Amino acid sequence: MLQSILYLIWYFFQAWIAIYLILPFLFLLVYLIKKATGTTYSIYRKKPKTDKNFDFAAIITAHKDTRLIAPLVDSLVKQRYPNLMIYVVADACDISGLHFDDPRVEILKPEQDLNSKIKSIDYATNNFRRQHDVLVIFDSDNLAHPDFTHILNLYFQQGFRAVQTSLQAKNTDSVFSRMDSIGDIYYNFTEREIRMELGLSSAIWGLGIAIETPLYREIIYQHFLGGFDKRIQADLVRKIPQIAFAKEAYVYDEKISDGDALETQRTRWINAYFKYFSLGWAVFLNGLKNLSFNRMFFGFINLRPPLFIVVGAALLFSVINFIFFSPVGGFIWLGILALFVISFVLIVSIKSRNKKVVKSLFFMPLFVLRQALALFKIRKANKSFLKTEHNKVIYIDDLLRNETA
């Protein structure tokens, strides 16, 4: 009896990991079929449900650093859709050097240090000049494409209540920044774009997420706990039919530039995965209870370990099968891994707009190694706040000029 239970557990874990590695191939297949048949999702082919022009509040959360606020504000005041206000929450910042002539820019300096992204967003919403229809959340190192709010308006005219925008690399001048952007390209496709194609809820980033203001007020966290993106998406997916993905609305984010920054960033992310693992179960069980495939799928994907752990587990399963069980099982795992690697490379190659990024795929083993090293530092993440340093002062005009060069 005990042996049967152990075998059941063994096969369960193998199936769990295998599904995560096979799904990218299935997603790519669906995408290629839809593209070949001209049925990929396009907001421009959709008839709007309302002609209302939504009023946006752009909330910029800055903590102890104001160096990159000016370029982001510049990109927002240059929006071709002007119906927005810009709120800069300068938490624990020196604002003596912040001056903006545009009346749509409001600088907010909390009297006491907040030291929390959620508290900063709440502070902004409590100091709105007017009742905005939608709030959009930015980190201080971001930039927004000139059509960003125009495209978001089209999505909200379709009746969506929460929309994740498309994360793009602001800088790709180093091998590590290009490898970091590879991850964004892959996850933009597998966790956002393809879900939009299938009518499922997109995963969110901690930035570039646009939410109806009344909806955000419903899910605001009174105790201001961490895990902003993990918690907010778990609540959103249970409250609304679909979190949309606006693939045409670009928000630019600074990529890490060296191995040390990568380890710091990934240590924080890995720690967040284990810390908020239960949220995935909660969403999955909620979907099961309510017979919602959207929520079950969302929760199931959120239970997935970081990708390098999934690949490492697959290699381990292959070795165990070769040594203790059947060579057939080992070869099956090698086949699954090969299928995943091919799918990963094809997704990045198809979706990348930068040839240098595609060439950086050859350096991915180094990237995986630095992530593995980050795994051994998660205790440090529990004891202190690990902040990724950003310092690339780039303006939107220069960025767009370089993109078209």
Side-chain angles (χ1 to χ4, degrees):
M1 180 67 177
L2 178 60
Q3 186 179 29
S4 298
I5 294 174
L6 291 175
Y7 270 114
L8 186 63
I9 294 172
W10 165 244
Y11 288 118
F12 169 80
F13 277 107
Q14 287 191 94
W16 180 45
I17 295 299
I19 291 172
Y20 291 135
L21 292 173
I22 294 171
L23 275 175
F25 169 74
L26 299 178
F27 289 159
L28 182 60
L29 192 62
V30 169
Y31 172 78
L32 293 175
I33 292 173
K34 289 178 71 68
K35 188 174 181 179
T37 56
T39 57
T40 53
Y41 186 92
S42 173
I43 192 65
Y44 298 108
R45 293 199 294 263
K46 296 288 183 179
K47 185 178 180 181
K49 295 181 180 179
T50 176
D51 59 359
K52 176 181 178 179
N53 288 321
F54 288 79
D55 184 6
F56 291 91
I59 300 176
I60 302 171
T61 60
H63 183 253
K64 295 184 177 180
D65 190 356
T66 62
R67 289 174 298 167
L68 302 179
I69 291 176
L72 173 53
V73 171
D74 174 71
S75 72
L76 290 170
V77 299
K78 290 179 177 176
Q79 291 294 298
R80 296 189 177 111
Y81 178 87
N83 195 11
L84 81 158
M85 275 287 302
I86 303 157
Y87 298 90
V88 179
V89 183
D91 178 29
C93 294
D94 177 7
I95 62 171
S96 59
L98 287 181
H99 302 286
F100 301 103
D101 296 329
D102 196 299
R104 294 174 296 170
V105 183
E106 180 84 12
I107 300 175
L108 303 173
K109 177 70 169 71
E111 293 182 3
Q112 295 182 336
D113 295 349
L114 302 176
N115 300 317
S116 164
K117 183 169 185 173
I118 295 175
K119 283 186 178 182
S120 292
I121 297 168
D122 186 54
Y123 189 85
T125 60
N126 290 333
N127 287 276
F128 278 170
R129 285 190 191 174
R130 57 181 185 262
Q131 293 301 314
H132 299 283
D133 300 312
V134 178
L135 60 85
V136 192
I137 298 162
F138 295 95
D139 288 342
S140 61
D141 64 302
N142 299 153
L143 293 174
H145 189 279
D147 289 327
F148 182 85
T149 47
H150 164 69
I151 293 169
L152 274 179
N153 188 57
L154 298 179
Y155 277 82
F156 281 93
Q157 286 181 334
Q158 282 294 325
F160 293 113
R161 303 186 65 194
V163 182
Q164 175 60 56
T165 55
S166 182
L167 193 63
Q168 304 292 316
K170 190 171 77 172
N171 59 303
T172 55
D173 53 348
S174 72
V175 172
F176 276 99
S177 63
R178 290 193 287 271
M179 289 192 292
D180 192 13
S181 69
I182 284 173
D184 290 347
I185 294 167
Y186 174 77
Y187 287 119
N188 258 345
F189 178 79
T190 59
E191 296 196 349
R192 293 166 184 87
E193 182 175 352
I194 197 64
R195 293 194 199 178
M196 191 67 182
E197 296 287 349
L198 297 172
L200 301 173
S201 283
S202 162
I204 74 165
W205 303 101
L207 57 95
I209 175 69
I211 308 170
E212 280 187 356
T213 303
L215 175 61
Y216 182 81
R217 293 187 188 279
E218 287 181 29
I219 61 175
I220 187 68
Y221 312 110
Q222 299 301 319
H223 301 293
F224 303 109
L225 301 173
F228 169 75
D229 54 336
K230 303 289 185 184
R231 292 178 179 276
I232 199 172
Q233 69 178 7
D235 281 348
L236 284 173
V237 77
R238 285 179 285 191
K239 276 188 170 290
I240 59 178
Q242 183 182 4
I243 303 171
F245 175 64
K247 64 182 179 182
E248 309 90 346
Y250 294 157
V251 56
Y252 298 90
D253 179 55
E254 185 173 335
K255 301 294 100 184
I256 53 93
S257 58
D258 56 54
D260 291 338
L262 168 66
E263 286 187 33
T264 299
Q265 182 191 70
R266 291 317 200 258
T267 298
R268 190 175 71 248
W269 290 2
I270 294 168
N271 178 67
Y273 166 76
F274 289 108
K275 189 174 182 179
Y276 301 107
F277 181 82
S278 61
L279 291 176
W281 274 117
V283 173
F284 178 82
L285 293 175
N286 179 273
L288 189 63
K289 178 182 177 181
N290 292 278
L291 299 179
S292 169
F293 178 77
N294 179 46
R295 296 178 200 172
M296 283 192 291
F297 184 81
F298 196 96
F300 175 74
I301 296 299
N302 278 8
L303 291 172
R304 185 199 60 219
L307 198 54
F308 77 95
I309 295 179
V310 173
V311 172
L315 288 170
L316 180 62
F317 290 153
S318 177
V319 171
I320 292 174
N321 272 285
F322 273 121
I323 297 175
F324 298 105
F325 293 95
S326 167
V328 174
F331 282 117
I332 289 173
W333 271 112
L334 291 179
I336 291 173
L337 278 167
L339 183 67
F340 169 75
V341 171
I342 293 170
S343 301
F344 186 96
V345 171
L346 286 175
I347 288 169
V348 173
S349 301
I350 291 170
K351 303 305 296 185
S352 176
R353 301 184 297 156
N354 188 327
K355 292 181 179 179
K356 289 183 178 180
V357 169
V358 177
K359 291 178 180 178
S360 296
L361 282 165
F362 293 104
F363 296 95
M364 285 307 291
L366 173 62
F367 197 75
V368 172
L369 176 61
R370 296 304 290 253
Q371 290 186 84
L373 293 174
L375 181 62
F376 297 101
K377 298 181 180 180
I378 58 174
R379 288 187 179 182
K380 184 179 178 181
N382 281 320
K383 295 178 181 178
S384 63
F385 178 72
L386 298 178
K387 184 178 179 181
T388 306
E389 295 297 328
H390 298 294
N391 53 25
K392 297 289 183 181
V393 181
I394 303 173
Y395 281 81
I396 190 65
D397 293 338
D398 295 328
L399 179 63
L400 295 178
R401 193 178 300 115
N402 290 335
E403 280 191 344
T404 56

